[in-house]
């Protein structure tokens, strides 16, 4: 095929896929709109099913797009009760069924039976390379078994949301070889969406009622330490910062790489994958998503997210300067100046607003850490998935809570605000080992890509994961649906090469 025809085919196919994915997201929005007739909502869901059979990657993109809406599930009334269906879960299960149907249909169409021997060999090979994932699944099962009776339902739900479905998502992304651009594009768009909702809340316009009913106890706008903080689609402003600090570095890196490839310089520009991305529109899209996500980080007034963004900027800047080390000095110094301004601005905000470095919830965090250590000394295998609340809350009779926290919002805390303690409490030492192995694999692959191949997009993933780890020292790292999906997106991007 001549080069221009091949390029035209690629552009047409990509445009068709983007439109199909956006239409699939619209179908999910129709299904989640409770005010519409049920028949109309089910029609939207059926259209999503039909498109997932044709574009399973679009279905997985919708999983990423809707993951932040886990507190705003679709509701379906049946005679005995009301079903609450998180949209990311609906999209994932339908896409899984579509991929399985395509696989079975392919074998039937070709009139061949699956090769059991070859399948067994693949399973054996995967059992070694994906041992951490298997270990995490085993730790999750143990976490359900350790759950207290009144928390068993919550443990089963969180096991499904945080272990089974994220692993299933990761497996499907690898199975259908979903492109890196699609993964990052969906993550960037989801971040821009929740950031815009938060920005409108900050100026006094709350759009969340138009999306759905948020099942959370907090207000959408809260005042803490004299500062107006917004929650967007989440239950707390910190959750907004936690998600967006993972989004903006990856979107910024993608924008920089596309713009750089569009100019035709750099060693990677000879790749066909690069020519596919030579689009000013694509670069503008990712840059806009990065800026909107940074805006969301700012209006969250999460000091952890601000400081994590400083860390991400340092890592991303180092990767960008390494990528551009053989090119014009002006570009390098302008990028360095922007990153320096971002670092100074974010650090200044974190140290001057909300009461200085010793303000905020530092004391409460220390008390929660001490309490979690008490529980872990008593239960070295962990408490079980989503069980911290059933130990921490004095109403259940197991609490070692500090008396100063009783009567405050921290009396109802559901996690210990530290990534290591949170992992140990939820999935025990096996889960801690699994996450450790996954992170070692991620950083090994990412550092090789950045140092030897100077891949700026991988530097973005490295920056996002580092920001998540830094903020996770004082807050959540993984155990909510949107952060779990984002974690596996970063893992996948870290394993992919630009070429």
């Amino acid at each position: 095929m001549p080069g221009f025809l091949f390029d035209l085919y690629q552009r047409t196919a990509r445009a068709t896929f983007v439109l199909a994915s956006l239409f699939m997201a619209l179908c999910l929005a129709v299904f989640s709109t409770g005010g519409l007739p049920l028949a109309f909502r089910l029609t939207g869901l059926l259209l999503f099913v039909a498109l997932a059979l044709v574009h399973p990657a679009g279905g997985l993109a919708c999983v990423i797009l809707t993951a932040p809406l886990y507190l705003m599930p679709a509701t379906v009334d049946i005679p005995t009760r009301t079903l609450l269906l998180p949209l990311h879960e609906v999209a994932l299960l339908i896409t899984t069924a579509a991929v399985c149907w395509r696989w079975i249909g392919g074998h039937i169409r070709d009139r061949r039976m699956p090769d059991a021997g070859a399948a067994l060999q693949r399973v054996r090979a995967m059992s070694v390379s994906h041992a951490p994932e298997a270990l995490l699944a085993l730790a999750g099962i143990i976490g359900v078994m350790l759950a207290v009776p009144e928390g068993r339902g919550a443990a089963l739900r969180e096991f499904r949301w945080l272990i089974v479905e994220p692993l299933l998502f990761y497996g499907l992304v690898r199975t259908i070889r979903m492109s890196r651009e699609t993964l990052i594009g969906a993550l960037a768009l989801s971040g821009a969406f929740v950031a815009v909702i938060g920005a409108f809340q900050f100026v006094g316009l709350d759009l969340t009622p138009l999306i759905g009913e948020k099942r959370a106890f907090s207000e959408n706008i809260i005042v803490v330490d004299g500062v107006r903080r917004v929650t967007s689609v989440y239950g707390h402003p910190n959750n907004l910062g936690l998600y967006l600090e993972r989004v903006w570095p990856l979107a910024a890196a993608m924008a920089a790489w596309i713009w750089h490839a569009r100019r035709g310089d750099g060693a990677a520009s000879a790749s066909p994958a690069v020519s596919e991305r030579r689009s000013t529109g694509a670069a503008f899209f990712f840059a806009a998503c990065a800026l909107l996500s940074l805006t969301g980080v700012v209006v969250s007034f999460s000091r952890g997210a601000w400081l994590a963004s400083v860390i991400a900027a340092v890592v991303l800047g180092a990767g960008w300067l390494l990528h551009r080390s053989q090119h014009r000095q002006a570009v390098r110094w302008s990028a360095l100046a922007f990153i320096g301004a971002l670092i100074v601005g974010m650090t200044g905000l974190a140290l001057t607003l909300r009461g200085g470095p010793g303000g905020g919830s530092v004391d409460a965090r220390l008390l929660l850490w001490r309490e979690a250590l008490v529980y872990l000394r008593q239960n070295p295998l962990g408490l079980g998935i989503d069980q911290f609340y059933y130990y921490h809350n004095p109403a259940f009779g197991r609490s070692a809570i500090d008396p100063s926290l009783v009567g405050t919002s921290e009396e109802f805390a559901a996690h210990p605000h530290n990534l290591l303690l949170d992992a140990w409490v939820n999935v025990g030492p096996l889960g801690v080992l699994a996450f450790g192995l996954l992170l070692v694999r991620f950083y090994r692959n990412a550092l090789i890509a950045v140092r030897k191949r100077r891949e700026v997009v991988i530097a973005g993933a490295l920056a996002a994961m580092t920001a998540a780890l830094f903020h996770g020292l004082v807050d959540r790292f993984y155990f909510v649906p949107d952060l779990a999906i984002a974690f596996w997106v970063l893992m996948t991007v870290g394993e992919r090469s630009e070429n």
Side-chain angles (χ1 to χ4, degrees):
M1 181 184 294
F4 75 93
L5 288 178
F6 180 71
D7 185 64
L8 178 63
Y9 166 77
Q10 285 188 316
R11 291 178 181 276
T12 303
R14 184 171 60 177
T16 302
F17 171 75
V18 170
L19 290 175
S21 299
L22 292 175
F23 186 74
M24 293 172 77
L26 178 62
C27 291
L28 284 179
V30 169
F31 172 67
S32 68
T33 305
L36 295 176
L38 182 59
F40 194 74
R41 296 171 63 192
L42 292 178
T43 300
L45 191 63
L46 288 174
L47 287 173
F48 182 89
V49 172
L51 287 171
L53 287 168
V54 180
H55 293 292
L60 293 179
C62 288
V63 173
I64 301 172
L65 286 171
T66 57
L69 303 178
Y70 62 91
L71 290 178
M72 307 175 77
T75 58
V76 177
D77 293 322
I78 59 175
T80 56
R81 62 193 180 102
T82 298
L83 297 177
L84 302 178
L85 304 174
L87 292 180
H88 75 280
E89 187 173 33
V90 171
L92 179 62
L93 296 180
I94 290 175
T95 305
T96 302
V99 171
C100 292
W101 180 262
R102 285 164 59 98
W103 182 80
I104 293 171
H107 282 83
I108 294 176
R109 184 173 58 252
D110 297 339
R111 297 181 179 179
R112 56 185 173 87
M113 295 296 292
D115 188 343
L120 183 60
Q121 289 181 351
R122 285 196 296 271
V123 169
R124 287 175 178 172
M126 291 174 61
S127 64
V128 176
S129 60
H130 294 285
E133 290 89 335
L135 194 61
L136 180 60
L138 176 60
I141 294 172
I142 296 173
V144 173
M145 295 171 62
L146 292 174
V148 297
E150 58 268 43
R152 184 61 55 84
L156 288 169
R157 180 194 65 225
E158 299 300 307
F159 175 68
R160 187 179 81 240
W161 282 358
L162 305 177
I163 305 296
V164 175
E165 291 175 358
L167 287 174
L168 180 59
F169 168 81
Y170 176 66
L172 289 175
V173 166
R174 293 176 58 89
T175 298
I176 69 172
R177 294 181 174 86
M178 191 171 176
S179 74
R180 189 175 66 178
E181 185 179 28
T182 302
L183 279 170
I184 300 175
L187 187 70
L189 187 58
S190 70
F193 174 71
V194 299
V196 167
I197 297 297
F200 275 117
Q201 286 176 346
F202 187 73
V203 298
L205 181 61
D206 189 6
L207 300 178
T208 52
L210 300 178
I211 304 171
E213 180 184 355
K214 187 192 297 185
R215 299 186 179 271
F217 297 107
S218 67
E219 299 293 331
N220 291 337
I221 302 171
I222 60 178
V223 178
V224 180
D225 299 326
V227 173
R228 179 185 176 92
R229 305 182 66 192
V230 301
T231 63
S232 184
V233 299
Y234 296 99
H236 195 278
N238 288 348
N239 293 93
L240 176 62
L242 283 165
Y243 187 64
L244 295 181
E245 73 192 13
R246 290 154 167 79
V247 174
W248 80 259
L250 205 51
M254 196 70 184
W257 181 69
I258 292 175
W259 180 260
H260 188 47
R262 173 185 170 276
R263 294 171 60 88
D265 50 356
S269 61
S271 168
V274 174
S275 63
E276 182 185 354
R277 295 170 171 80
R278 289 178 182 172
S279 167
T280 302
F284 177 80
F285 165 78
F286 284 106
C289 288
L291 289 174
L292 288 172
S293 297
L294 265 176
T295 302
V297 169
V298 172
V299 298
S300 75
F301 283 91
S302 168
R303 295 187 306 167
W306 289 346
L307 294 174
S309 293
V310 170
I311 300 297
V314 171
V315 176
L316 184 59
W320 173 248
L321 292 178
L322 182 62
H323 179 74
R324 295 288 290 167
S325 60
Q326 297 177 345
H327 299 278
R328 293 187 300 274
Q329 293 287 334
V331 175
R332 293 168 55 194
W333 287 112
S334 62
L336 186 61
F338 172 77
I339 293 164
L342 179 64
I343 292 171
V344 171
M346 287 293 193
T347 305
L349 284 173
L351 296 180
T352 56
L353 295 178
R354 299 191 58 207
S361 53
V362 174
D363 293 338
R365 296 285 202 275
L366 294 174
L367 294 175
L368 288 172
W369 297 348
R370 189 180 305 163
E371 182 185 349
L373 290 172
V374 171
Y375 298 141
L376 291 176
R377 280 196 294 268
Q378 298 170 350
N379 306 274
L381 294 180
L383 307 183
I385 297 181
D386 200 32
Q387 299 301 293
F388 183 81
Y389 172 78
Y390 299 98
Y391 283 80
H392 172 70
N393 191 333
F396 295 100
R398 306 180 184 89
S399 182
I401 187 174
D402 188 276
S404 65
L405 297 180
V406 177
T408 70
S409 61
E410 296 297 343
E411 180 181 347
F412 308 102
H415 63 102
H417 291 273
N418 175 268
L419 60 90
L420 179 59
L421 293 175
D422 202 19
W424 202 305
V425 161
N426 279 279
V427 289
L430 284 181
V432 173
L433 177 61
F435 278 114
L437 292 173
L438 287 168
L439 289 170
V440 167
R441 188 173 79 194
F442 171 84
Y443 275 92
R444 183 184 65 241
N445 293 337
L447 288 173
I448 289 173
V450 171
R451 290 174 57 193
K452 294 187 176 181
R453 298 193 294 273
R454 301 181 180 182
E455 297 189 9
V456 69
V457 176
I458 304 297
L462 192 64
M465 186 69 82
T466 304
L469 286 170
F470 179 82
H471 196 173
L473 295 174
V474 294
D475 212 319
R476 288 192 184 273
F477 172 72
Y478 179 88
F479 291 96
V480 280
D482 62 329
L483 299 188
I485 294 297
F487 175 83
W488 291 106
V489 169
L490 292 177
M491 288 293 299
T492 305
V493 172
E495 296 168 355
R496 300 286 178 87
S497 170
E498 288 183 356
N499 295 324

